[in-house]
Amino acid sequence: MKRYLAYYNENHCENRNYDVVIVGAGIGGLYTSLMLPKNLKIAVLSKKDIYDSDSCMAQGGIAASIQDDNRKLHVEDTINAGCYVNNLEAVNTLVDESEEAIESLIKLGVNFDRDLKGNFYRSFEGNHSIPRILHVNGDSTGKGIMDALIKEVKNAPNIEVIPNVFALDIIEEDNKCNGIVAYYKDKFVYFKSRQCVMASGGIGQLFSKTTNADILTGDGIAMAIRANVELDNMEYIQFHPTAFYSQDFDNKLFLISEAVRGEGAMLRNSSGKRFMKKYDNRMELAPRDIVARAISHEIDKSNSNCVYLDATMYNRDFLKNRFNKIYSECKNNGLQIEKDYIPVIPAEHYFMGGIKVDLYSRTNMTNLYAVGECACTGVHGANRLASNSLIEAVVFGKRAAGDISKRINYDFEDNISTINTRNNPPNKGRQEFDVDFLKLRIDLKKLMDSSVGIIRNIDKLQNALNFVDEVLFKIENLKFNSVLDAEVYNMYLVARSIIESILNTKDSIGSNYVEEYSRHSVV
């Protein structure tokens, strides 16, 4: 398997020293940095600008059991959505510490929406038994939280946010993480650290239809694969039922938040008829995997491009205030959602698998942690309960920070002065012929759409694995001429791990719906 270290050593890597390096500048990465001791020197590496993340785009809200809520119901809703294969200890941890997490965000400056009496405005979403979703500025929860975190991080003298950094490899010796090699300002930099946190986000760009930002190509997970860090639940990929349908989309689709259905919007097929009742008694508020498969089935059955979300039971003022972002986006596309149905399709949205971690976000590699979407705590099981992702990043980010605070060795010996390249491929003999990496990227997206999507088939999966293996064999020893080439390599590595995991699981549950193993038709 290709490691970059030997190739970069010849370029005389610049060395930078930190106590903690965090790869990723979304909510998980920033919040973790703020929870660490103020005497630690911290670097937060951002693949692009600090605002280029899924965290900034998160609309629906943040689920939390606060005040007089029944926490047992939150646990039950989470494991029911996750098809009862969740890590129950992790779920209990999430729910029990969710109120403390909300209080922490408020102290950091997050202003959650409240009613006229000053109480939190809480709403329903799919598979929640009671209203427990908190919001910021209606449907701009992620941005509201990020704005507060970014302000705090910029005022923290011990935290350095470094934009436009492409993290490449984990530096390890004897299964101990010593830092990260990255490409920054046209040179290779060794970010040496006592502890590392992977907070690099999801895998959405492996698919052509996704709600994810264009930076989310599974880089952190690919780094973990190359360093033999343990992964888990790689077969579980959530497709959001309602992305705005457009024939003209580039990199990502606009999300129509589940909160719209939580407020009562209805799904209609191409004939204008409601259809969810025949698939699930919870109808539009069934778990996302069920709704996504139902929509996919309706689209195939009618040979149409999309289904429709009907929010016309509400007036303009309510929709504009409650869903300002969605209202504006639809208006820009010629729709008045108080009058017009919204065309929607399922799209890849969230990855429940990733780097396996324990209750303190520790991986199986010493000094390496993972938080957020790239990590697999086991909280989500086979299907994530709506709005549990932001609270997971906060709860387990704080746990990671607490564990690092206890474990970090203030007598750390700087005994690795250069990058250790033992057991890495030699620099000699690199192949340097032309490969169209852009075409490889497009081919992979089409392949993942057709073979690793909402409904899966064993023969298609096996053919997909064969194709991915052939590509990896061809490109593994090539010289990459840009970070985009390396990004494509990461995408293929992660795709291989996902497909292999599906084939090895030999089961059909939740978001991993495999026709041959399923005991149910469609849902």
Side-chain angles (χ1 to χ4, degrees), residues 14-241:
E14 174 189 340
N15 282 15
R16 295 191 180 192
N17 293 284
Y18 296 89
D19 294 304
V20 181
V21 169
I22 299 173
V23 180
I27 286 174
L30 295 184
Y31 183 81
T32 302
S33 74
L34 291 167
M35 293 298 104
L36 287 165
K38 306 305 179 190
N39 63 330
L40 297 182
K41 185 181 179 183
I42 301 164
V44 179
L45 311 183
S46 180
K47 190 174 179 182
K48 284 190 176 180
D49 183 79
I50 195 171
Y51 284 99
D52 286 315
S53 70
D54 263 16
S55 292
C56 277
M57 298 189 298
Q59 295 175 6
I62 183 168
S65 291
I66 59 175
Q67 299 169 349
D68 58 348
D69 285 352
N70 185 332
R71 294 185 176 184
K72 184 179 178 183
L73 283 179
H74 194 173
V75 171
E76 290 176 353
D77 292 346
T78 299
I79 62 176
N80 178 267
C83 302
Y84 300 93
V85 295
N86 317 62
N87 178 334
L88 185 56
E89 194 175 5
V91 175
N92 280 314
T93 298
L94 177 83
V95 173
D96 288 343
E97 297 180 13
S98 61
E99 184 166 20
E100 180 185 345
I102 295 299
E103 291 171 354
S104 175
L105 290 174
I106 292 171
K107 288 178 182 177
L108 289 169
V110 178
N111 294 313
F112 291 102
D113 295 343
R114 298 175 185 264
D115 61 23
L116 295 176
K117 295 181 179 179
N119 299 314
F120 290 118
Y121 179 81
R122 290 182 274 182
S123 66
F124 267 115
E125 288 187 13
N127 213 65
H128 287 271
S129 54
I130 60 172
R132 64 168 69 90
I133 317 302
L134 281 69
H135 311 91
V136 181
N137 297 326
D139 59 353
S140 298
T141 304
K143 185 178 184 303
I145 295 174
M146 283 290 287
D147 284 344
L149 297 183
I150 289 170
K151 182 179 178 181
E152 289 295 312
V153 164
K154 286 183 176 179
N155 290 329
N158 66 315
I159 301 173
E160 181 183 3
V161 177
I162 307 174
N164 302 309
V165 181
F166 190 84
L168 291 161
D169 262 323
I170 297 165
I171 307 303
E172 55 84 20
E173 186 172 27
D174 299 327
N175 201 42
K176 177 184 175 184
C177 177
N178 293 309
I180 301 293
V181 161
Y183 194 66
Y184 178 56
K185 291 188 175 179
D186 298 322
K187 60 185 175 183
F188 305 111
V189 180
Y190 176 20
F191 292 92
K192 190 187 303 185
S193 65
R194 305 180 189 185
Q195 309 281 344
C196 289
V197 181
M198 200 64 67
S200 54
I203 62 159
Q205 289 299 318
L206 271 67
F207 295 81
S208 60
K209 296 180 180 68
T210 180
T211 63
N212 284 193
D214 61 1
I215 63 170
L216 296 180
T217 52
D219 303 316
I221 297 169
M223 291 166 67
I225 292 171
R226 288 193 292 274
N228 296 316
V229 176
E230 191 174 355
L231 309 178
D232 202 14
N233 288 355
M234 296 293 285
E235 66 272 23
Y236 297 139
I237 303 171
Q238 184 172 81
F239 292 82
H240 198 289

Side-chain angles (χ1 to χ4, degrees), residues 419-449:
I419 296 175
N420 190 331
T421 59
R422 61 184 178 81
N423 298 324
N424 288 311
N427 201 36
K428 295 179 180 180
R430 281 193 319 238
Q431 300 178 58
E432 298 191 21
F433 53 86
D434 289 335
V435 170
D436 189 343
F437 279 91
L438 178 59
K439 183 178 185 303
L440 287 180
R441 187 187 188 104
I442 294 169
D443 288 347
L444 180 64
K445 285 172 171 279
K446 291 179 180 177
L447 181 76
M448 295 295 282
D449 283 346

Side-chain angles (χ1 to χ4, degrees), residues 404-416:
I404 290 171
S405 302
K406 292 176 183 177
R407 287 172 168 259
I408 200 160
N409 180 5
Y410 290 95
D411 295 320
F412 174 75
E413 291 183 15
D414 188 9
N415 58 4
I416 303 179

Side-chain angles (χ1 to χ4, degrees), residues 491-506:
M491 293 167 71
Y492 273 84
L493 271 185
V494 175
R496 191 193 192 287
S497 183
I498 290 168
I499 298 166
E500 189 175 47
S501 183
I502 298 169
L503 290 171
N504 289 339
T505 301
K506 292 183 168 45

Side-chain angles (χ1 to χ4, degrees), residues 232-233 236-238 350-354 375-376 380-384 511:
D232 202 14
N233 288 355
Y236 297 139
I237 303 171
Q238 184 172 81
Y350 192 85
F351 189 41
M352 279 81 69
C376 181
H380 307 302
N383 181 48
R384 175 173 69 87
S511 60

Side-chain angles (χ1 to χ4, degrees), residues 384-521:
R384 175 173 69 87
L385 179 68
S387 291
N388 262 354
S389 54
L390 296 185
I391 197 69
E392 180 198 28
V394 175
V395 166
F396 288 94
K398 185 171 185 178
R399 284 181 149 252
D403 197 67
I404 290 171
S405 302
K406 292 176 183 177
R407 287 172 168 259
I408 200 160
N409 180 5
Y410 290 95
D411 295 320
F412 174 75
E413 291 183 15
D414 188 9
N415 58 4
I416 303 179
S417 58
T418 60
I419 296 175
N420 190 331
T421 59
R422 61 184 178 81
N423 298 324
N424 288 311
N427 201 36
K428 295 179 180 180
R430 281 193 319 238
Q431 300 178 58
E432 298 191 21
F433 53 86
D434 289 335
V435 170
D436 189 343
F437 279 91
L438 178 59
K439 183 178 185 303
L440 287 180
R441 187 187 188 104
I442 294 169
D443 288 347
L444 180 64
K445 285 172 171 279
K446 291 179 180 177
L447 181 76
M448 295 295 282
D449 283 346
S450 64
S451 302
V452 197
I454 296 170
I455 297 173
R456 299 163 177 174
N457 172 276
I458 293 297
D459 287 342
K460 286 185 177 181
L461 287 163
Q462 190 58 61
N463 289 336
L465 182 62
N466 293 339
F467 175 82
V468 169
D469 279 343
E470 287 177 10
V471 172
L472 285 172
F473 179 78
K474 290 177 182 177
I475 69 175
E476 200 148 54
N477 293 312
L478 293 182
K479 178 181 179 181
F480 295 162
N481 295 312
S482 71
V483 294
L484 295 179
D485 296 352
E487 192 175 65
V488 169
Y489 176 58
N490 286 344
M491 293 167 71
Y492 273 84
L493 271 185
V494 175
R496 191 193 192 287
S497 183
I498 290 168
I499 298 166
E500 189 175 47
S501 183
I502 298 169
L503 290 171
N504 289 339
T505 301
K506 292 183 168 45
D507 199 1
S508 181
I509 187 170
S511 60
N512 180 38
Y513 186 93
V514 182
E515 289 177 321
E516 288 84 348
Y517 302 142
S518 179
R519 295 178 291 276
H520 309 284
S521 61

